[in-house]
Amino acid sequence: METVTVLLGLVALATVLGLVWRARTGRIQRARTAATSAASDESSITIPGAAPFGSRVTLLQFSTEVCAICPTVRTQLSALADELDNGTGAVVHVDVDVTSRPEIANQFNLLQSPTTFILDGNGVLQARIGGAPKLNDVRAELNRMLNPALV
Amino acid sequence: MTSNDPRPAGTTQPSGSKAALAAKPGEAGIDPRGPRFGAGITAVLLLTVIGLGLDSAATLPATLAERASQPSFILFAVIAALFAWGAFAGIRRHPYGLFFKAAIRPRLSAPSHLEDPRPPTFSQGVGFVITVLGIVLHLTAVPYALVIFAGMAFIAAFLNSVFDYCLGCQLYVLLVRAGLIRRGRSAV
């Protein structure tokens, strides 16, 4: 009887962990910076060797090679950037593989892959997302950044 | 059988298409349901280990030979060997994966996309390390080591199977940062 209790408890624990993980992963966490009008050098993010950033918004995705969902996220985010961009270069998705670049993973305190940063036109961090982003939330966040008057 | 067709290499990938989610161009992807199926079997076996081993976990047998011949330990060692198979031979040669491909997959509809085999192979390696630690501690007569490590492996396998949790996504960045994984830039 005791053994059955332990086994059921273990299944219950794993289920709770899974539900908590699923609820938390992919949430947009706004950066705690005060509304910065001018970009200072230290707050603007640059990645040596990465593709050029967007003039208004950049979705900066950090991936590793051992990450099953990274290619999915890459496809989704670049499609979203294309959709909002209209060929103007305003919204750009950049994917950086940090497998061989631990200095980048350390610099930005990456804890999981994919981690996605939302940067403004000055390359300043606005929000970060751990795990597979919830696409509708990202779309809303980008619309808010692109059309501040509507808020 | 067309199950492991590599996606055409170097083609421009249509945005948002699930067909674009395969492994690296030119490399065969795997059905993502295969590793989850295998993780389900592993989770059930690990629960069985705990069920068999819990009663004797507090007071282990006195001799090494007795500890090594307990049913829970033997099953746990078999699971460890299967993890080693998946980790070193690759997930595509794992017995559960082969069984899935031969017996289960023909009865299912086509997968929505194919996946890179490296993440589940990495997860097999994590499972192997956890189970080997449990084996070593159990053989050195550490009480509860077998059921605790089986429990940890169970949680990982259960999350993988039921919630499509990707252990590599969570752990790999930390291993890279700790300097445990080094790759030349030319390799990327």
Side-chain angles (χ1 to χ4, degrees):
Chain A
M1 192 59 217
E2 204 176 79
T3 301
V4 174
T5 312
V6 170
L7 296 185
L8 289 178
L10 204 50
V11 173
L13 171 67
T15 305
V16 169
L17 287 174
L19 291 173
V20 169
W21 170 73
R22 195 151 73 180
R24 296 183 64 91
T25 192
R27 275 208 298 209
I28 296 178
Q29 296 167 289
R30 296 258 175 84
R32 284 188 304 274
T33 50
T36 45
S37 47
S40 57
D41 281 347
E42 60 264 37
S43 62
S44 114
I45 289 174
T46 51
I47 306 285
F53 287 177
S55 62
R56 302 203 45 202
V57 176
T58 303
L59 291 168
L60 178 58
Q61 177 187 344
F62 299 100
S63 304
T64 61
E65 63 179 37
V66 181
C67 167
I69 53 173
C70 288
T72 313
V73 172
R74 182 185 308 137
T75 309
Q76 290 172 338
L77 291 184
S78 65
L80 181 62
D82 285 349
E83 175 195 322
L84 297 174
D85 181 64
N86 298 320
T88 57
V91 184
V92 171
H93 170 248
V94 176
D95 187 25
V96 177
D97 189 330
V98 299
T99 306
S100 59
R101 305 178 76 177
E103 73 280 4
I104 292 179
N106 281 322
Q107 183 186 350
F108 299 117
N109 195 27
L110 303 184
L111 299 174
Q112 59 173 313
S113 61
T115 296
T116 306
F117 286 2
I118 301 178
L119 311 180
D120 68 8
N122 295 317
V124 177
L125 179 67
Q126 300 297 305
R128 66 186 283 161
I129 306 164
K134 298 183 180 5
L135 269 192
N136 287 333
D137 295 356
V138 178
R139 187 193 307 273
E141 184 73 13
L142 296 195
N143 280 325
R144 195 187 58 83
M145 291 173 69
L146 292 168
N147 306 301
L150 298 179
V151 178
Chain B
M1 194 144 141
T2 57
S3 57
N4 258 355
D5 278 350
R7 296 284 160 175
T11 50
T12 47
Q13 300 177 333
S15 289
S17 163
K18 287 246 174 184
L21 306 181
K24 288 274 168 69
E27 220 179 86
I30 57 168
D31 188 330
R33 295 168 298 187
R36 291 181 69 177
F37 169 78
I41 300 177
T42 306
V44 171
L45 292 181
L46 285 163
L47 268 192
T48 311
V49 168
I50 299 167
L52 291 171
L54 205 55
D55 282 342
S56 61
T59 47
L60 296 175
T63 68
L64 181 68
E66 281 174 314
R67 290 195 293 274
S69 58
Q70 289 179 295
S72 57
F73 175 80
I74 292 169
L75 180 55
F76 195 59
V78 169
I79 295 170
L82 286 165
F83 275 137
W85 193 331
F88 298 119
I91 194 75
R92 275 175 294 194
R93 297 193 191 87
H94 194 283
Y96 300 159
L98 297 176
F99 176 73
F100 174 82
K101 206 170 132 182
I104 310 279
R105 183 164 166 168
R107 298 163 201 273
L108 302 177
S109 57
S112 61
H113 64 285
L114 297 180
E115 227 168 52
D116 193 323
R118 287 175 298 181
T121 299
F122 174 80
S123 299
Q124 292 282 310
V126 175
F128 176 65
V129 170
I130 290 177
T131 46
V132 163
L133 284 174
I135 285 174
V136 170
L137 291 175
H138 179 77
L139 289 179
T140 50
V142 176
Y144 289 105
L146 188 73
V147 291
I148 286 173
F149 281 83
M152 285 166 26
F154 164 76
I155 287 174
F158 180 89
L159 291 178
N160 184 194
S161 179
V162 177
F163 290 94
D164 201 11
Y165 180 86
C166 162
L167 199 57
C169 304
Q170 308 287 326
L171 277 182
Y172 200 75
V173 176
L174 302 178
L175 294 179
V176 166
R177 288 179 60 181
L180 293 172
I181 292 168
R182 290 181 195 280
R183 294 283 158 83
R185 286 198 186 189
S186 55
V188 177

